[in-house]
Amino acid sequence: MAEKTKGEQLKEQLLMNPKNMGDTLDDETIQKAFDFCEDYKKFLTTCKTEREVVKYTIKLLEERGYTPYVPGAQYQPGDKIYKNNRGKALMMATIGSAPLSEGVHISASHIDNPRLDFKPRPLFEEGQLAYFKTHYYGGVKKYQWTAIPLSLHGVIVKRDGSTVDVTIGEEADEPIFCVTDLLPHLAKDQMKLPMVEGIKGEQLNILIGCMPFKDDAASERVKLNIARLLFEKYGIVESDFMSAELSAVPAFGARDLGLDRGMIGAYGHDDRVCAYANLMAELEVKNPVHTTLTVFADKEEVGSDGTTGLHSHYMVDFIEDLAQSQGFELRHVLEKSKCLSCDVNVAFDPAFAEVCEKNNTAYLNYGVALAKYTGSGGKSSTNDAPAETVGYFRRLLDDAGVVWQMGELGKVDQGGGGTVAKFVSYFNVDTIDMGVPVLSMHAPFEVISKCDLYMTYKATEAFYQD
């Protein structure tokens, strides 16, 4: 092999040269990444709402020795506890050997996804077809939700206070549902509209039935027949929809994508891919120095408001309870704490290359992506991580052999978005964004790299062990 020139040596020493993990990882590590993703696909297929994630996770936690948090209890290093916030958000912790005055190591992800929520009075009939009327949740391209199979998930609270869990459309012998679209033969006017207007929010009606109730004296007989079926199966009446949380989500599971099986296509990668990586790291940590806190938040897709969003105080209240049990002030714990705001980032897509700046975007299969800032325009509405915080995580990941990259959310002035980072850093916690690069983000079918997910898990693991 020819000796490297001085210029080649200098380039190697001074300049960055990111590489695809398919070239840099050994076969054993790639196989570990692929194996790691098998249970993730099951998790993603099973859990399509935040309530389902919480139920699934609590069952897993209790199998691994976690116990519900008891206010005022004294916990010892190595103890594993959890706190359920209204069945829609969740916190898990492993008590560290160091006192809480030295800070907590936090990873915070969100478990809600874009979807079609039911309106309070959803059931109606038109043209002798029955529908559920929806109000879309989160940032969606409305046209993507037409003409795809949908399943129904959620909970209904009846007038007597009893609850009914609903899941229809996931099993092979169950019916599925859909939002219809206009055939191209008659879509001349529709096709002239801007994409954002091609399908309107009020057109996202879910088709649920066509068979009338056989009673000539009744009106809206298809609607009546659907109401009868719902009453027979669930014991509910139309007014019970007013105290329900029901959603339509894609009725398909997570699948390997690509002939090389290096990717996963599914609904809900944003942000359950980071939640799963954090959860696996939390389960595996044994005797951390710093107390670990893994947070599954709700409502991020709509601004993190409400009692289960991270704009609420439930995470800080939990830390305060732990701090008080050790005799420390909350503010002293928070100022020494660090947080990974674990949310997905945009992956470079050659089909839409114009929206990203190639030197400052994340790439599929190049590792977990750190983001110093998000926001829009002039970094509006963001946590902009201090250089010292970036430096800490840079050293941490390098020392742990984690493959990572830096990315931002598209070109300046192209658009933008945010994460829960700003809500955590508000409490004087050093915070940085980190997550898996995603193609087709917020679509009913998103794409990630298996190796990127594995590196996100390894990054969280390194953070928890530090």
Side-chain angles (χ1 to χ4, degrees), residues 130-412:
Y131 296 90
F132 283 135
K133 184 163 279 293
T134 71
H135 192 138
Y136 63 90
Y137 173 98
V140 304
K141 290 181 174 180
K142 294 184 282 291
Y143 69 85
Q144 292 180 330
W145 288 80
T146 65
I148 63 170
L150 300 173
S151 57
L152 307 183
H153 293 241
V155 62
I156 300 169
V157 180
K158 297 163 67 173
R159 190 178 183 279
D160 63 5
S162 61
T163 61
V164 179
D165 291 322
V166 176
T167 305
I168 311 172
E170 294 295 341
E171 300 300 327
D173 61 347
E174 291 179 335
I176 56 174
F177 311 91
C178 74
V179 176
T180 59
D181 196 3
L182 185 60
L183 67 164
H185 311 66
L186 302 178
K188 181 178 68 172
D189 293 337
Q190 182 195 46
M191 299 291 278
K192 294 177 182 178
L193 296 171
M195 292 175 73
V196 71
E197 297 177 10
I199 296 293
K200 296 178 172 58
E202 293 295 350
Q203 292 177 304
L204 294 174
N205 300 317
I206 302 169
L207 182 61
I208 59 170
C210 68
M211 300 298 291
F213 182 75
K214 291 185 177 180
D215 183 346
D216 289 340
S219 61
E220 297 186 303
R221 292 186 297 128
V222 180
K223 174 183 174 179
L224 180 61
N225 192 44
I226 294 297
R228 175 186 66 84
L229 293 170
L230 290 170
F231 181 75
E232 290 176 356
K233 184 173 179 64
Y234 298 109
I236 63 170
V237 297
E238 186 178 12
S239 62
D240 289 326
F241 284 114
M242 293 189 292
S243 52
E245 288 184 358
L246 294 166
S247 304
V249 298
F252 44 74
R255 297 281 297 275
D256 285 348
L257 193 147
L259 292 175
D260 55 12
R261 295 182 176 271
M263 297 169 284
I264 300 172
Y267 165 69
H269 286 310
D270 178 12
D271 182 36
R272 291 179 193 141
V273 65
C274 294
Y276 185 81
N278 295 164
L279 172 61
M280 291 300 106
E282 170 65 46
L283 290 173
E284 293 302 321
V285 69
K286 301 301 181 188
N287 298 295
V289 174
H290 297 89
T291 294
T292 68
L293 176 59
T294 303
V295 182
F296 285 0
D298 183 26
K299 293 290 184 288
E300 192 276 343
E301 297 294 2
V302 291
S304 293
D305 294 314
T307 54
T308 54
L310 265 188
H311 207 179
S312 173
H313 278 223
Y314 64 89
M315 182 191 79
V316 174
D317 289 346
F318 182 60
I319 296 173
E320 183 172 25
D321 286 343
L322 294 176
Q324 288 180 346
S325 72
Q326 294 188 9
F328 300 118
E329 293 287 341
L330 171 64
R331 66 182 184 274
H332 298 150
V333 175
L334 294 175
E335 70 182 3
K336 292 293 184 66
S337 296
K338 293 182 176 65
C339 177
L340 285 172
S341 168
C342 292
D343 205 342
V344 298
N345 207 330
V346 62
F348 178 75
D349 189 337
F352 306 99
E354 67 279 1
V355 302
C356 292
E357 193 263 288
K358 292 183 180 180
N359 283 339
N360 289 285
T361 193
Y363 289 79
L364 223 63
N365 229 38
Y366 276 65
V368 62
L370 295 182
K372 187 178 187 299
Y373 50 83
T374 56
S376 60
K379 300 185 181 180
S380 176
S381 193
T382 184
N383 165 68
D384 194 341
E388 293 83 356
T389 302
V390 181
Y392 163 79
F393 283 104
R394 176 186 175 188
R395 290 188 297 274
L396 177 75
L397 300 185
D398 284 344
D399 290 347
V402 175
V403 182
W404 63 279
Q405 56 185 317
M406 289 286 281
E408 61 178 2
L409 196 58
K411 285 183 176 179
V412 178

